[in-house]
Amino acid sequence: MFHHHLINDTVRAVAGDQAYLDTHANFAADHGATVPDLPAGAIERIYESGIRHAISNGRAIIAGGSQPWAFGDAAIAKVTGLLSAQAKRNTPPPKAPMPAPQPSKTGKSSGTATVAS
């Protein structure tokens, strides 16, 4: 299933038990192509291959799209890749490692006993 909602600025693509949801701009970056524009007055597109391709104004379906729809089918087929790209974009950079403990400048023991030979 592919769902583009203009007002909420969301794009969702679902394949099996995997679901991708992000903004229009992030989807374009992750997918490598922008979602086709909606017709005037429309706020969403819902596409399910072989089932429906509805374009709505939020209250009623105002248009239908082609079936099959190559763009929607490609986005659905690419859900695993979309999720991977999203995870890479959302992963914070690794934290710097903690510095190694340094010996005391006084040369005094820090609580461990040493034996001179």
Side-chain angles (χ1 to χ4, degrees):
M1 194 258 304
F2 179 85
H3 182 210
H4 171 216
H5 197 283
L6 190 62
I7 303 299
N8 293 337
D9 188 29
T10 57
V11 176
R12 180 173 44 158
V14 179
D17 63 348
Q18 293 186 309
Y20 170 92
L21 175 68
D22 216 318
T23 65
H24 184 263
N26 285 341
F27 172 81
D30 295 342
H31 184 59
T34 59
V35 177
D37 290 334
L38 292 166
I43 66 162
E44 73 178 331
R45 174 191 312 264
I46 300 173
Y47 172 75
E48 293 177 275
S49 188
I51 299 171
R52 67 178 165 164
H53 188 172
I55 299 169
S56 166
N57 65 6
R59 292 182 305 274
I61 295 172
I62 59 172
S66 63
Q67 190 63 264
W69 183 44
F71 186 92
D73 289 331
I76 293 165
K78 198 175 176 181
V79 168
T80 299
L82 291 169
L83 290 168
S84 177
Q86 183 183 53
K88 287 177 186 173
R89 184 174 22 81
N90 289 338
T91 303
K95 292 182 179 180
M98 293 293 289
Q102 299 297 314
S104 166
K105 291 184 180 181
T106 62
K108 293 185 179 180
S109 170
S110 61
T112 57
T114 57
V115 178
S117 19

